[in-house]
mmCIF file with all atom_site columns, all heavy atoms in Angstrom:
data_model
loop_
_atom_site.group_PDB
_atom_site.id
_atom_site.type_symbol
_atom_site.label_atom_id
_atom_site.label_alt_id
_atom_site.label_comp_id
_atom_site.label_asym_id
_atom_site.label_entity_id
_atom_site.label_seq_id
_atom_site.pdbx_PDB_ins_code
_atom_site.Cartn_x
_atom_site.Cartn_y
_atom_site.Cartn_z
_atom_site.occupancy
_atom_site.B_iso_or_equiv
_atom_site.pdbx_formal_charge
_atom_site.auth_seq_id
_atom_site.auth_comp_id
_atom_site.auth_asym_id
_atom_site.auth_atom_id
_atom_site.pdbx_PDB_model_num
ATOM 1   N N   . LEU D 1 1  ? 13.432 118.323 -34.832 1.00 0.00 ? 41 LEU D N   1
ATOM 2   C CA  . LEU D 1 1  ? 13.270 117.535 -33.620 1.00 0.00 ? 41 LEU D CA  1
ATOM 3   C C   . LEU D 1 1  ? 12.780 116.145 -33.989 1.00 0.00 ? 41 LEU D C   1
ATOM 4   O O   . LEU D 1 1  ? 12.111 115.963 -35.011 1.00 0.00 ? 41 LEU D O   1
ATOM 5   C CB  . LEU D 1 1  ? 12.260 118.199 -32.677 1.00 0.00 ? 41 LEU D CB  1
ATOM 6   C CG  . LEU D 1 1  ? 12.629 119.600 -32.187 1.00 0.00 ? 41 LEU D CG  1
ATOM 7   C CD1 . LEU D 1 1  ? 11.439 120.230 -31.472 1.00 0.00 ? 41 LEU D CD1 1
ATOM 8   C CD2 . LEU D 1 1  ? 13.840 119.534 -31.281 1.00 0.00 ? 41 LEU D CD2 1
ATOM 9   N N   . GLU D 1 2  ? 13.102 115.190 -33.168 1.00 0.00 ? 42 GLU D N   1
ATOM 10  C CA  . GLU D 1 2  ? 12.650 113.822 -33.421 1.00 0.00 ? 42 GLU D CA  1
ATOM 11  C C   . GLU D 1 2  ? 11.138 113.722 -33.305 1.00 0.00 ? 42 GLU D C   1
ATOM 12  O O   . GLU D 1 2  ? 10.481 113.061 -34.090 1.00 0.00 ? 42 GLU D O   1
ATOM 13  C CB  . GLU D 1 2  ? 13.331 112.861 -32.455 1.00 0.00 ? 42 GLU D CB  1
ATOM 14  C CG  . GLU D 1 2  ? 13.126 111.416 -32.829 1.00 0.00 ? 42 GLU D CG  1
ATOM 15  C CD  . GLU D 1 2  ? 13.977 110.493 -31.995 1.00 0.00 ? 42 GLU D CD  1
ATOM 16  O OE1 . GLU D 1 2  ? 15.169 110.799 -31.793 1.00 0.00 ? 42 GLU D OE1 1
ATOM 17  O OE2 . GLU D 1 2  ? 13.437 109.467 -31.549 1.00 0.00 ? 42 GLU D OE2 1
ATOM 18  N N   . ARG D 1 3  ? 10.584 114.387 -32.290 1.00 0.00 ? 43 ARG D N   1
ATOM 19  C CA  . ARG D 1 3  ? 9.135  114.372 -32.100 1.00 0.00 ? 43 ARG D CA  1
ATOM 20  C C   . ARG D 1 3  ? 8.715  115.569 -31.263 1.00 0.00 ? 43 ARG D C   1
ATOM 21  O O   . ARG D 1 3  ? 9.521  116.149 -30.545 1.00 0.00 ? 43 ARG D O   1
ATOM 22  C CB  . ARG D 1 3  ? 8.666  113.075 -31.468 1.00 0.00 ? 43 ARG D CB  1
ATOM 23  C CG  . ARG D 1 3  ? 9.290  112.790 -30.120 1.00 0.00 ? 43 ARG D CG  1
ATOM 24  C CD  . ARG D 1 3  ? 8.908  111.459 -29.580 1.00 0.00 ? 43 ARG D CD  1
ATOM 25  N NE  . ARG D 1 3  ? 7.507  111.516 -29.160 1.00 0.00 ? 43 ARG D NE  1
ATOM 26  C CZ  . ARG D 1 3  ? 6.852  110.491 -28.656 1.00 0.00 ? 43 ARG D CZ  1
ATOM 27  N NH1 . ARG D 1 3  ? 7.442  109.345 -28.518 1.00 0.00 ? 43 ARG D NH1 1
ATOM 28  N NH2 . ARG D 1 3  ? 5.605  110.606 -28.286 1.00 0.00 ? 43 ARG D NH2 1
ATOM 29  N N   . VAL D 1 4  ? 7.453  115.907 -31.378 1.00 0.00 ? 44 VAL D N   1
ATOM 30  C CA  . VAL D 1 4  ? 6.879  116.968 -30.550 1.00 0.00 ? 44 VAL D CA  1
ATOM 31  C C   . VAL D 1 4  ? 5.587  116.442 -29.941 1.00 0.00 ? 44 VAL D C   1
ATOM 32  O O   . VAL D 1 4  ? 4.951  115.547 -30.491 1.00 0.00 ? 44 VAL D O   1
ATOM 33  C CB  . VAL D 1 4  ? 6.618  118.266 -31.355 1.00 0.00 ? 44 VAL D CB  1
ATOM 34  C CG1 . VAL D 1 4  ? 7.910  118.868 -31.851 1.00 0.00 ? 44 VAL D CG1 1
ATOM 35  C CG2 . VAL D 1 4  ? 5.672  118.026 -32.504 1.00 0.00 ? 44 VAL D CG2 1
ATOM 36  N N   . GLY D 1 5  ? 5.215  117.014 -28.813 1.00 0.00 ? 45 GLY D N   1
ATOM 37  C CA  . GLY D 1 5  ? 4.003  116.596 -28.119 1.00 0.00 ? 45 GLY D CA  1
ATOM 38  C C   . GLY D 1 5  ? 2.895  117.623 -28.243 1.00 0.00 ? 45 GLY D C   1
ATOM 39  O O   . GLY D 1 5  ? 3.135  118.777 -28.586 1.00 0.00 ? 45 GLY D O   1
ATOM 40  N N   . ARG D 1 6  ? 1.724  117.199 -27.910 1.00 0.00 ? 46 ARG D N   1
ATOM 41  C CA  . ARG D 1 6  ? 0.534  118.044 -28.066 1.00 0.00 ? 46 ARG D CA  1
ATOM 42  C C   . ARG D 1 6  ? 0.590  119.325 -27.229 1.00 0.00 ? 46 ARG D C   1
ATOM 43  O O   . ARG D 1 6  ? -0.029 120.309 -27.580 1.00 0.00 ? 46 ARG D O   1
ATOM 44  C CB  . ARG D 1 6  ? -0.726 117.243 -27.764 1.00 0.00 ? 46 ARG D CB  1
ATOM 45  C CG  . ARG D 1 6  ? -0.793 116.673 -26.357 1.00 0.00 ? 46 ARG D CG  1
ATOM 46  C CD  . ARG D 1 6  ? -2.069 115.857 -26.093 1.00 0.00 ? 46 ARG D CD  1
ATOM 47  N NE  . ARG D 1 6  ? -3.185 116.730 -25.802 1.00 0.00 ? 46 ARG D NE  1
ATOM 48  C CZ  . ARG D 1 6  ? -4.227 116.933 -26.614 1.00 0.00 ? 46 ARG D CZ  1
ATOM 49  N NH1 . ARG D 1 6  ? -4.317 116.303 -27.752 1.00 0.00 ? 46 ARG D NH1 1
ATOM 50  N NH2 . ARG D 1 6  ? -5.201 117.750 -26.279 1.00 0.00 ? 46 ARG D NH2 1
ATOM 51  N N   . HIS D 1 7  ? 1.330  119.315 -26.146 1.00 0.00 ? 47 HIS D N   1
ATOM 52  C CA  . HIS D 1 7  ? 1.396  120.493 -25.289 1.00 0.00 ? 47 HIS D CA  1
ATOM 53  C C   . HIS D 1 7  ? 2.622  121.364 -25.585 1.00 0.00 ? 47 HIS D C   1
ATOM 54  O O   . HIS D 1 7  ? 2.820  122.379 -24.921 1.00 0.00 ? 47 HIS D O   1
ATOM 55  C CB  . HIS D 1 7  ? 1.392  120.081 -23.814 1.00 0.00 ? 47 HIS D CB  1
ATOM 56  C CG  . HIS D 1 7  ? 0.153  119.336 -23.438 1.00 0.00 ? 47 HIS D CG  1
ATOM 57  N ND1 . HIS D 1 7  ? -1.091 119.915 -23.418 1.00 0.00 ? 47 HIS D ND1 1
ATOM 58  C CD2 . HIS D 1 7  ? -0.038 118.034 -23.107 1.00 0.00 ? 47 HIS D CD2 1
ATOM 59  C CE1 . HIS D 1 7  ? -1.997 119.019 -23.074 1.00 0.00 ? 47 HIS D CE1 1
ATOM 60  N NE2 . HIS D 1 7  ? -1.375 117.861 -22.886 1.00 0.00 ? 47 HIS D NE2 1
ATOM 61  N N   . ASP D 1 8  ? 3.418  120.964 -26.564 1.00 0.00 ? 48 ASP D N   1
ATOM 62  C CA  . ASP D 1 8  ? 4.617  121.732 -26.893 1.00 0.00 ? 48 ASP D CA  1
ATOM 63  C C   . ASP D 1 8  ? 4.255  123.082 -27.498 1.00 0.00 ? 48 ASP D C   1
ATOM 64  O O   . ASP D 1 8  ? 3.214  123.251 -28.132 1.00 0.00 ? 48 ASP D O   1
ATOM 65  C CB  . ASP D 1 8  ? 5.517  120.948 -27.851 1.00 0.00 ? 48 ASP D CB  1
ATOM 66  C CG  . ASP D 1 8  ? 6.287  119.845 -27.144 1.00 0.00 ? 48 ASP D CG  1
ATOM 67  O OD1 . ASP D 1 8  ? 6.493  119.955 -25.915 1.00 0.00 ? 48 ASP D OD1 1
ATOM 68  O OD2 . ASP D 1 8  ? 6.679  118.882 -27.818 1.00 0.00 ? 48 ASP D OD2 1
ATOM 69  N N   . HIS D 1 9  ? 5.143  124.033 -27.269 1.00 0.00 ? 49 HIS D N   1
ATOM 70  C CA  . HIS D 1 9  ? 4.981  125.426 -27.675 1.00 0.00 ? 49 HIS D CA  1
ATOM 71  C C   . HIS D 1 9  ? 5.962  125.694 -28.813 1.00 0.00 ? 49 HIS D C   1
ATOM 72  O O   . HIS D 1 9  ? 7.162  125.508 -28.658 1.00 0.00 ? 49 HIS D O   1
ATOM 73  C CB  . HIS D 1 9  ? 5.305  126.297 -26.449 1.00 0.00 ? 49 HIS D CB  1
ATOM 74  C CG  . HIS D 1 9  ? 5.004  127.737 -26.595 1.00 0.00 ? 49 HIS D CG  1
ATOM 75  N ND1 . HIS D 1 9  ? 5.762  128.580 -27.380 1.00 0.00 ? 49 HIS D ND1 1
ATOM 76  C CD2 . HIS D 1 9  ? 4.045  128.498 -26.020 1.00 0.00 ? 49 HIS D CD2 1
ATOM 77  C CE1 . HIS D 1 9  ? 5.284  129.797 -27.278 1.00 0.00 ? 49 HIS D CE1 1
ATOM 78  N NE2 . HIS D 1 9  ? 4.233  129.783 -26.456 1.00 0.00 ? 49 HIS D NE2 1
ATOM 79  N N   . PHE D 1 10 ? 5.442  126.095 -29.951 1.00 0.00 ? 50 PHE D N   1
ATOM 80  C CA  . PHE D 1 10 ? 6.257  126.279 -31.153 1.00 0.00 ? 50 PHE D CA  1
ATOM 81  C C   . PHE D 1 10 ? 7.487  127.142 -30.891 1.00 0.00 ? 50 PHE D C   1
ATOM 82  O O   . PHE D 1 10 ? 8.602  126.793 -31.280 1.00 0.00 ? 50 PHE D O   1
ATOM 83  C CB  . PHE D 1 10 ? 5.397  126.895 -32.262 1.00 0.00 ? 50 PHE D CB  1
ATOM 84  C CG  . PHE D 1 10 ? 6.087  127.008 -33.593 1.00 0.00 ? 50 PHE D CG  1
ATOM 85  C CD1 . PHE D 1 10 ? 6.226  125.894 -34.406 1.00 0.00 ? 50 PHE D CD1 1
ATOM 86  C CD2 . PHE D 1 10 ? 6.585  128.217 -34.031 1.00 0.00 ? 50 PHE D CD2 1
ATOM 87  C CE1 . PHE D 1 10 ? 6.856  125.996 -35.646 1.00 0.00 ? 50 PHE D CE1 1
ATOM 88  C CE2 . PHE D 1 10 ? 7.225  128.330 -35.258 1.00 0.00 ? 50 PHE D CE2 1
ATOM 89  C CZ  . PHE D 1 10 ? 7.355  127.213 -36.069 1.00 0.00 ? 50 PHE D CZ  1
ATOM 90  N N   . PHE D 1 11 ? 7.305  128.252 -30.227 1.00 0.00 ? 51 PHE D N   1
ATOM 91  C CA  . PHE D 1 11 ? 8.402  129.205 -30.033 1.00 0.00 ? 51 PHE D CA  1
ATOM 92  C C   . PHE D 1 11 ? 9.360  128.767 -28.926 1.00 0.00 ? 51 PHE D C   1
ATOM 93  O O   . PHE D 1 11 ? 10.556 129.037 -29.006 1.00 0.00 ? 51 PHE D O   1
ATOM 94  C CB  . PHE D 1 11 ? 7.850  130.607 -29.798 1.00 0.00 ? 51 PHE D CB  1
ATOM 95  C CG  . PHE D 1 11 ? 7.012  131.059 -30.972 1.00 0.00 ? 51 PHE D CG  1
ATOM 96  C CD1 . PHE D 1 11 ? 5.637  131.064 -30.889 1.00 0.00 ? 51 PHE D CD1 1
ATOM 97  C CD2 . PHE D 1 11 ? 7.601  131.422 -32.173 1.00 0.00 ? 51 PHE D CD2 1
ATOM 98  C CE1 . PHE D 1 11 ? 4.851  131.442 -31.980 1.00 0.00 ? 51 PHE D CE1 1
ATOM 99  C CE2 . PHE D 1 11 ? 6.837  131.799 -33.265 1.00 0.00 ? 51 PHE D CE2 1
ATOM 100 C CZ  . PHE D 1 11 ? 5.457  131.808 -33.170 1.00 0.00 ? 51 PHE D CZ  1
ATOM 101 N N   . GLU D 1 12 ? 8.857  128.062 -27.948 1.00 0.00 ? 52 GLU D N   1
ATOM 102 C CA  . GLU D 1 12 ? 9.737  127.538 -26.901 1.00 0.00 ? 52 GLU D CA  1
ATOM 103 C C   . GLU D 1 12 ? 10.631 126.417 -27.423 1.00 0.00 ? 52 GLU D C   1
ATOM 104 O O   . GLU D 1 12 ? 11.685 126.147 -26.860 1.00 0.00 ? 52 GLU D O   1
ATOM 105 C CB  . GLU D 1 12 ? 8.916  127.048 -25.703 1.00 0.00 ? 52 GLU D CB  1
ATOM 106 C CG  . GLU D 1 12 ? 8.265  128.170 -24.926 1.00 0.00 ? 52 GLU D CG  1
ATOM 107 C CD  . GLU D 1 12 ? 7.347  127.687 -23.821 1.00 0.00 ? 52 GLU D CD  1
ATOM 108 O OE1 . GLU D 1 12 ? 7.176  126.451 -23.649 1.00 0.00 ? 52 GLU D OE1 1
ATOM 109 O OE2 . GLU D 1 12 ? 6.763  128.541 -23.138 1.00 0.00 ? 52 GLU D OE2 1
ATOM 110 N N   . LEU D 1 13 ? 10.203 125.774 -28.496 1.00 0.00 ? 53 LEU D N   1
ATOM 111 C CA  . LEU D 1 13 ? 11.002 124.713 -29.102 1.00 0.00 ? 53 LEU D CA  1
ATOM 112 C C   . LEU D 1 13 ? 12.027 125.256 -30.106 1.00 0.00 ? 53 LEU D C   1
ATOM 113 O O   . LEU D 1 13 ? 12.749 124.489 -30.719 1.00 0.00 ? 53 LEU D O   1
ATOM 114 C CB  . LEU D 1 13 ? 10.097 123.706 -29.819 1.00 0.00 ? 53 LEU D CB  1
ATOM 115 C CG  . LEU D 1 13 ? 9.183  122.871 -28.941 1.00 0.00 ? 53 LEU D CG  1
ATOM 116 C CD1 . LEU D 1 13 ? 8.268  122.005 -29.802 1.00 0.00 ? 53 LEU D CD1 1
ATOM 117 C CD2 . LEU D 1 13 ? 9.997  122.012 -27.982 1.00 0.00 ? 53 LEU D CD2 1
ATOM 118 N N   . GLY D 1 14 ? 12.068 126.562 -30.260 1.00 0.00 ? 54 GLY D N   1
ATOM 119 C CA  . GLY D 1 14 ? 13.028 127.161 -31.175 1.00 0.00 ? 54 GLY D CA  1
ATOM 120 C C   . GLY D 1 14 ? 12.416 127.773 -32.414 1.00 0.00 ? 54 GLY D C   1
ATOM 121 O O   . GLY D 1 14 ? 13.131 128.283 -33.286 1.00 0.00 ? 54 GLY D O   1
ATOM 122 N N   . GLY D 1 15 ? 11.099 127.738 -32.513 1.00 0.00 ? 55 GLY D N   1
ATOM 123 C CA  . GLY D 1 15 ? 10.432 128.338 -33.659 1.00 0.00 ? 55 GLY D CA  1
ATOM 124 C C   . GLY D 1 15 ? 10.545 129.854 -33.639 1.00 0.00 ? 55 GLY D C   1
ATOM 125 O O   . GLY D 1 15 ? 10.744 130.459 -32.593 1.00 0.00 ? 55 GLY D O   1
ATOM 126 N N   . HIS D 1 16 ? 10.441 130.435 -34.801 1.00 0.00 ? 56 HIS D N   1
ATOM 127 C CA  . HIS D 1 16 ? 10.466 131.894 -34.949 1.00 0.00 ? 56 HIS D CA  1
ATOM 128 C C   . HIS D 1 16 ? 9.604  132.250 -36.154 1.00 0.00 ? 56 HIS D C   1
ATOM 129 O O   . HIS D 1 16 ? 9.038  131.352 -36.805 1.00 0.00 ? 56 HIS D O   1
ATOM 130 C CB  . HIS D 1 16 ? 11.902 132.415 -35.087 1.00 0.00 ? 56 HIS D CB  1
ATOM 131 C CG  . HIS D 1 16 ? 12.733 131.683 -36.078 1.00 0.00 ? 56 HIS D CG  1
ATOM 132 N ND1 . HIS D 1 16 ? 12.584 131.827 -37.439 1.00 0.00 ? 56 HIS D ND1 1
ATOM 133 C CD2 . HIS D 1 16 ? 13.704 130.756 -35.898 1.00 0.00 ? 56 HIS D CD2 1
ATOM 134 C CE1 . HIS D 1 16 ? 13.444 131.051 -38.070 1.00 0.00 ? 56 HIS D CE1 1
ATOM 135 N NE2 . HIS D 1 16 ? 14.139 130.381 -37.149 1.00 0.00 ? 56 HIS D NE2 1
ATOM 136 N N   . SER D 1 17 ? 9.484  133.529 -36.452 1.00 0.00 ? 57 SER D N   1
ATOM 137 C CA  . SER D 1 17 ? 8.547  133.964 -37.483 1.00 0.00 ? 57 SER D CA  1
ATOM 138 C C   . SER D 1 17 ? 8.853  133.372 -38.857 1.00 0.00 ? 57 SER D C   1
ATOM 139 O O   . SER D 1 17 ? 7.922  133.014 -39.594 1.00 0.00 ? 57 SER D O   1
ATOM 140 C CB  . SER D 1 17 ? 8.491  135.490 -37.562 1.00 0.00 ? 57 SER D CB  1
ATOM 141 O OG  . SER D 1 17 ? 9.766  136.018 -37.843 1.00 0.00 ? 57 SER D OG  1
ATOM 142 N N   . LEU D 1 18 ? 10.116 133.219 -39.225 1.00 0.00 ? 58 LEU D N   1
ATOM 143 C CA  . LEU D 1 18 ? 10.447 132.639 -40.527 1.00 0.00 ? 58 LEU D CA  1
ATOM 144 C C   . LEU D 1 18 ? 10.006 131.174 -40.583 1.00 0.00 ? 58 LEU D C   1
ATOM 145 O O   . LEU D 1 18 ? 9.415  130.729 -41.578 1.00 0.00 ? 58 LEU D O   1
ATOM 146 C CB  . LEU D 1 18 ? 11.944 132.758 -40.810 1.00 0.00 ? 58 LEU D CB  1
ATOM 147 C CG  . LEU D 1 18 ? 12.418 132.167 -42.137 1.00 0.00 ? 58 LEU D CG  1
ATOM 148 C CD1 . LEU D 1 18 ? 11.692 132.815 -43.305 1.00 0.00 ? 58 LEU D CD1 1
ATOM 149 C CD2 . LEU D 1 18 ? 13.920 132.343 -42.288 1.00 0.00 ? 58 LEU D CD2 1
ATOM 150 N N   . LEU D 1 19 ? 10.259 130.420 -39.530 1.00 0.00 ? 59 LEU D N   1
ATOM 151 C CA  . LEU D 1 19 ? 9.815  129.026 -39.494 1.00 0.00 ? 59 LEU D CA  1
ATOM 152 C C   . LEU D 1 19 ? 8.290  128.935 -39.477 1.00 0.00 ? 59 LEU D C   1
ATOM 153 O O   . LEU D 1 19 ? 7.703  128.035 -40.085 1.00 0.00 ? 59 LEU D O   1
ATOM 154 C CB  . LEU D 1 19 ? 10.401 128.297 -38.281 1.00 0.00 ? 59 LEU D CB  1
ATOM 155 C CG  . LEU D 1 19 ? 11.882 127.938 -38.369 1.00 0.00 ? 59 LEU D CG  1
ATOM 156 C CD1 . LEU D 1 19 ? 12.354 127.305 -37.066 1.00 0.00 ? 59 LEU D CD1 1
ATOM 157 C CD2 . LEU D 1 19 ? 12.156 127.010 -39.536 1.00 0.00 ? 59 LEU D CD2 1
ATOM 158 N N   . ALA D 1 20 ? 7.646  129.857 -38.793 1.00 0.00 ? 60 ALA D N   1
ATOM 159 C CA  . ALA D 1 20 ? 6.181  129.869 -38.771 1.00 0.00 ? 60 ALA D CA  1
ATOM 160 C C   . ALA D 1 20 ? 5.637  130.118 -40.172 1.00 0.00 ? 60 ALA D C   1
ATOM 161 O O   . ALA D 1 20 ? 4.662  129.486 -40.587 1.00 0.00 ? 60 ALA D O   1
ATOM 162 C CB  . ALA D 1 20 ? 5.671  130.922 -37.791 1.00 0.00 ? 60 ALA D CB  1
ATOM 163 N N   . THR D 1 21 ? 6.281  131.001 -40.922 1.00 0.00 ? 61 THR D N   1
ATOM 164 C CA  . THR D 1 21 ? 5.874  131.269 -42.299 1.00 0.00 ? 61 THR D CA  1
ATOM 165 C C   . THR D 1 21 ? 6.067  130.026 -43.163 1.00 0.00 ? 61 THR D C   1
ATOM 166 O O   . THR D 1 21 ? 5.210  129.691 -43.988 1.00 0.00 ? 61 THR D O   1
ATOM 167 C CB  . THR D 1 21 ? 6.677  132.458 -42.868 1.00 0.00 ? 61 THR D CB  1
ATOM 168 O OG1 . THR D 1 21 ? 6.447  133.598 -42.031 1.00 0.00 ? 61 THR D OG1 1
ATOM 169 C CG2 . THR D 1 21 ? 6.264  132.785 -44.279 1.00 0.00 ? 61 THR D CG2 1
ATOM 170 N N   . GLN D 1 22 ? 7.160  129.315 -42.963 1.00 0.00 ? 62 GLN D N   1
ATOM 171 C CA  . GLN D 1 22 ? 7.393  128.066 -43.693 1.00 0.00 ? 62 GLN D CA  1
ATOM 172 C C   . GLN D 1 22 ? 6.346  127.015 -43.323 1.00 0.00 ? 62 GLN D C   1
ATOM 173 O O   . GLN D 1 22 ? 5.862  126.270 -44.185 1.00 0.00 ? 62 GLN D O   1
ATOM 174 C CB  . GLN D 1 22 ? 8.799  127.538 -43.415 1.00 0.00 ? 62 GLN D CB  1
ATOM 175 C CG  . GLN D 1 22 ? 9.884  128.401 -43.998 1.00 0.00 ? 62 GLN D CG  1
ATOM 176 C CD  . GLN D 1 22 ? 11.281 127.933 -43.603 1.00 0.00 ? 62 GLN D CD  1
ATOM 177 O OE1 . GLN D 1 22 ? 11.461 126.873 -43.014 1.00 0.00 ? 62 GLN D OE1 1
ATOM 178 N NE2 . GLN D 1 22 ? 12.283 128.747 -43.935 1.00 0.00 ? 62 GLN D NE2 1
ATOM 179 N N   . LEU D 1 23 ? 5.985  126.968 -42.049 1.00 0.00 ? 63 LEU D N   1
ATOM 180 C CA  . LEU D 1 23 ? 4.945  126.055 -41.590 1.00 0.00 ? 63 LEU D CA  1
ATOM 181 C C   . LEU D 1 23 ? 3.635  126.326 -42.320 1.00 0.00 ? 63 LEU D C   1
ATOM 182 O O   . LEU D 1 23 ? 2.991  125.416 -42.830 1.00 0.00 ? 63 LEU D O   1
ATOM 183 C CB  . LEU D 1 23 ? 4.747  126.196 -40.074 1.00 0.00 ? 63 LEU D CB  1
ATOM 184 C CG  . LEU D 1 23 ? 3.568  125.437 -39.465 1.00 0.00 ? 63 LEU D CG  1
ATOM 185 C CD1 . LEU D 1 23 ? 3.802  123.928 -39.535 1.00 0.00 ? 63 LEU D CD1 1
ATOM 186 C CD2 . LEU D 1 23 ? 3.345  125.882 -38.030 1.00 0.00 ? 63 LEU D CD2 1
ATOM 187 N N   . LEU D 1 24 ? 3.258  127.591 -42.395 1.00 0.00 ? 64 LEU D N   1
ATOM 188 C CA  . LEU D 1 24 ? 2.006  127.957 -43.055 1.00 0.00 ? 64 LEU D CA  1
ATOM 189 C C   . LEU D 1 24 ? 2.028  127.580 -44.529 1.00 0.00 ? 64 LEU D C   1
ATOM 190 O O   . LEU D 1 24 ? 1.026  127.093 -45.064 1.00 0.00 ? 64 LEU D O   1
ATOM 191 C CB  . LEU D 1 24 ? 1.745  129.452 -42.891 1.00 0.00 ? 64 LEU D CB  1
ATOM 192 C CG  . LEU D 1 24 ? 1.538  129.923 -41.459 1.00 0.00 ? 64 LEU D CG  1
ATOM 193 C CD1 . LEU D 1 24 ? 1.405  131.434 -41.417 1.00 0.00 ? 64 LEU D CD1 1
ATOM 194 C CD2 . LEU D 1 24 ? 0.337  129.254 -40.835 1.00 0.00 ? 64 LEU D CD2 1
ATOM 195 N N   . ALA D 1 25 ? 3.157  127.795 -45.187 1.00 0.00 ? 65 ALA D N   1
ATOM 196 C CA  . ALA D 1 25 ? 3.269  127.453 -46.610 1.00 0.00 ? 65 ALA D CA  1
ATOM 197 C C   . ALA D 1 25 ? 3.102  125.943 -46.810 1.00 0.00 ? 65 ALA D C   1
ATOM 198 O O   . ALA D 1 25 ? 2.412  125.508 -47.736 1.00 0.00 ? 65 ALA D O   1
ATOM 199 C CB  . ALA D 1 25 ? 4.618  127.917 -47.152 1.00 0.00 ? 65 ALA D CB  1
ATOM 200 N N   . ARG D 1 26 ? 3.706  125.158 -45.948 1.00 0.00 ? 66 ARG D N   1
ATOM 201 C CA  . ARG D 1 26 ? 3.578  123.698 -46.062 1.00 0.00 ? 66 ARG D CA  1
ATOM 202 C C   . ARG D 1 26 ? 2.158  123.251 -45.767 1.00 0.00 ? 66 ARG D C   1
ATOM 203 O O   . ARG D 1 26 ? 1.635  122.342 -46.419 1.00 0.00 ? 66 ARG D O   1
ATOM 204 C CB  . ARG D 1 26 ? 4.561  123.000 -45.142 1.00 0.00 ? 66 ARG D CB  1
ATOM 205 C CG  . ARG D 1 26 ? 5.992  123.183 -45.612 1.00 0.00 ? 66 ARG D CG  1
ATOM 206 C CD  . ARG D 1 26 ? 6.978  122.507 -44.710 1.00 0.00 ? 66 ARG D CD  1
ATOM 207 N NE  . ARG D 1 26 ? 8.334  122.926 -45.063 1.00 0.00 ? 66 ARG D NE  1
ATOM 208 C CZ  . ARG D 1 26 ? 9.418  122.313 -44.647 1.00 0.00 ? 66 ARG D CZ  1
ATOM 209 N NH1 . ARG D 1 26 ? 9.334  121.261 -43.869 1.00 0.00 ? 66 ARG D NH1 1
ATOM 210 N NH2 . ARG D 1 26 ? 10.603 122.756 -45.013 1.00 0.00 ? 66 ARG D NH2 1
ATOM 211 N N   . MET D 1 27 ? 1.524  123.874 -44.783 1.00 0.00 ? 67 MET D N   1
ATOM 212 C CA  . MET D 1 27 ? 0.140  123.524 -44.457 1.00 0.00 ? 67 MET D CA  1
ATOM 213 C C   . MET D 1 27 ? -0.781 123.835 -45.637 1.00 0.00 ? 67 MET D C   1
ATOM 214 O O   . MET D 1 27 ? -1.651 123.039 -45.972 1.00 0.00 ? 67 MET D O   1
ATOM 215 C CB  . MET D 1 27 ? -0.319 124.280 -43.211 1.00 0.00 ? 67 MET D CB  1
ATOM 216 C CG  . MET D 1 27 ? 0.360  123.790 -41.939 1.00 0.00 ? 67 MET D CG  1
ATOM 217 S SD  . MET D 1 27 ? 0.007  124.830 -40.504 1.00 0.00 ? 67 MET D SD  1
ATOM 218 C CE  . MET D 1 27 ? -1.742 124.551 -40.301 1.00 0.00 ? 67 MET D CE  1
#
């Protein structure tokens, strides 16, 4: 996505468990 806002919901934006795992690894 070009940008996300503070009230955005990870899963409503298309996130799923694999992307969440990738997010955690990057963090």
